[in-house]
Amino acid sequence: MTSIELRLPPDYRAASLRKDSLAGLTAVPKSLPPKWFYDAQGSALFEKITELPEYYPTRAERSILQAVAPDIAARTGAAVLAELGSGSSDKTRLLLSALREAGTLRAYVPVDVSESALIQAGDSLAAEYPGLAVHAIVADFGLDLGLAGDGTSANGDGTAGPRLVAFLGSTIGNMEPAERASFLRRVRAQLRPGDTFLLGTDLVKDPAVLVAAYDDDAGVTAAFNRNVLSVLNAELGADFDLDAFEHVALWDARNEWIEMRLRSTAAQPVRVRDLGLTVEFDDGEEMRTEISAKFRRDGVRAELAAAGLAMRDWWTDANGQFGLSLSAP
Ligand code: AVJ
């Protein structure tokens, strides 16, 4: 019952990595987008991050879903769960199980840039949920949500069941406000009457707690951060010396986001063979590799409203660390 639909051109990964790297490494200040953290090694490091004592967001979001997945199933009556940036589809099981219990579930539509992650997750979910149609879509939700004409609009009898679109993990925090606004408008444009949108957002809290979550004692986040340099070395023939860059995590109070950077510990040239480019780093120069915005309920409500989505429900975990909202057109 698993199908896979490719919505990306065959050389999309290589071409967009080249484009992003050229733009980011020649900009002032330098930056690289966080999507390039996630090769096999980076995805494994992210999985380790989610188990660190300091990194609370994954546990907090899971505890909310454990508590409210049955409510979400009852309120949405969803026949289709579409998940943007599904990755390993871990927390998805809580939603799928609740929708199956409610008797409405027909299909799961994971959307991710990684075809291998989709195949792995899709196969195991199809086995765990007999009768579930898994229609995986390889797309970059930064460009195309991949949901238009996803083959699930008609359920065989001409009826279209309600669709729940989920974007979990506070991945939206990787976007700046203007990008978030256009992303949410694109989500809104894919929703029909009766469809709903489930959004996970990490919340503003004590900066010491936030910084610790992005600068753990075991150094896993530091390794995850430096891994973007390994990706450029492996895929663009660059010669970054990973030992010559330090992990930096700071709280930007004005923008209310965590920023991760890599700080060059020496003046050094870096050659990027496939770009025909040599980039000079100054001693102490910092390159931004990620923002992870933190939210407040009223801000989430306002951003959703600006995109034409009305917040219907808002849940947090017992410690008030993470928020989950359900909205609808
Ligand atoms: C997967 C983007 C939500 O911002 O917290 C974890 C990635 N970066 N530690 C986040 C991340 C450093 C994570 N997101």
Side-chain angles (χ1 to χ4, degrees):
M1 293 284 271
T2 306
S3 69
I4 189 143
E5 187 181 333
L6 282 159
R7 298 264 186 117
L8 293 177
D11 73 333
Y12 176 77
R13 182 177 166 87
S16 53
L17 177 61
R18 271 201 305 275
K19 182 169 173 281
D20 288 354
S21 301
L22 182 61
L25 294 173
T26 58
V28 181
K30 298 180 181 66
S31 66
L32 289 170
K35 65 190 270 204
W36 301 112
F37 285 135
Y38 302 93
D39 66 346
Q41 172 74 9
S43 299
L45 286 166
F46 179 67
E47 289 301 313
K48 277 182 78 179
I49 287 174
T50 65
E51 288 158 18
L52 292 169
E54 297 95 336
Y55 193 78
Y56 60 84
T58 308
R59 283 186 297 276
E61 186 178 47
R62 189 183 298 117
S63 82
I64 304 172
L65 284 169
Q66 265 155 357
V68 307
D71 293 352
I72 293 170
R75 277 161 214 241
T76 63
V80 177
L81 173 64
E83 186 177 17
L84 303 174
S86 51
S88 65
S89 297
D90 155 47
K91 285 162 281 185
T92 310
R93 285 172 176 77
L94 295 166
L95 290 170
L96 289 174
S97 295
L99 291 167
R100 182 176 58 179
E101 284 296 302
T104 59
L105 181 65
R106 292 173 191 239
Y108 174 52
V109 179
V111 182
D112 203 278
V113 271
S114 166
E115 185 173 0
S116 58
L118 285 169
I119 291 170
Q120 257 189 26
D123 285 351
S124 55
L125 287 169
E128 281 171 55
Y129 294 86
L132 179 69
V134 178
H135 184 71
I137 298 176
V138 185
D140 181 349
F141 61 73
L143 295 173
D144 160 25
L145 298 180
L147 293 178
D150 64 21
T152 57
S153 53
N155 292 325
D157 52 6
T159 63
R163 188 163 57 176
L164 170 61
V165 176
F167 191 43
L168 300 176
S170 206
T171 303
I172 194 168
N174 279 171
M175 302 176 203
E176 297 200 26
E179 292 176 77
R180 298 202 295 263
S182 72
F183 169 80
L184 292 171
R185 279 196 303 270
R186 285 188 289 121
V187 170
R188 163 66 188 90
Q190 293 305 317
L191 299 182
R192 297 162 296 218
D195 291 349
T196 46
F197 178 52
L198 185 69
L199 178 66
T201 41
D202 192 18
L203 302 179
V204 173
K205 57 182 64 64
D206 179 353
V209 173
L210 287 168
V211 170
Y214 292 83
D215 194 9
D216 62 280
D217 285 343
V220 182
T221 308
F224 173 75
N225 193 6
R226 287 191 195 96
N227 188 61
V228 74
L229 305 180
S230 306
V231 169
L232 269 63
N233 286 353
E235 299 185 37
L236 294 179
D239 66 356
F240 282 100
D241 173 4
L242 270 63
D243 295 329
F245 288 87
E246 281 174 352
H247 172 63
V248 176
L250 57 89
W251 171 241
D252 180 332
R254 191 175 59 89
N255 289 309
E256 295 194 320
W257 67 46
I258 284 282
E259 194 161 315
M260 295 208 316
R261 300 177 181 170
L262 287 167
R263 182 190 294 137
S264 176
T265 59
Q268 53 181 331
V270 175
R271 175 88 192 139
V272 188
R273 187 196 61 208
D274 296 359
L275 297 178
L277 181 75
T278 299
V279 196
E280 299 291 343
F281 283 84
D282 293 334
D283 187 8
E285 182 176 345
E286 293 180 356
M287 172 168 69
R288 185 168 101 176
T289 51
E290 181 173 52
I291 61 163
S292 188
K294 306 304 167 188
F295 298 86
R296 302 171 186 272
R297 184 191 55 191
D298 290 349
V300 175
R301 183 189 297 278
E303 291 190 37
L304 289 168
L309 292 162
M311 193 191 275
R312 294 270 181 79
D313 294 285
W314 171 260
W315 300 279
T316 65
D317 58 299
N319 303 317
Q321 298 197 104
F322 200 93
L324 195 63
S325 59
L326 187 67
S327 59

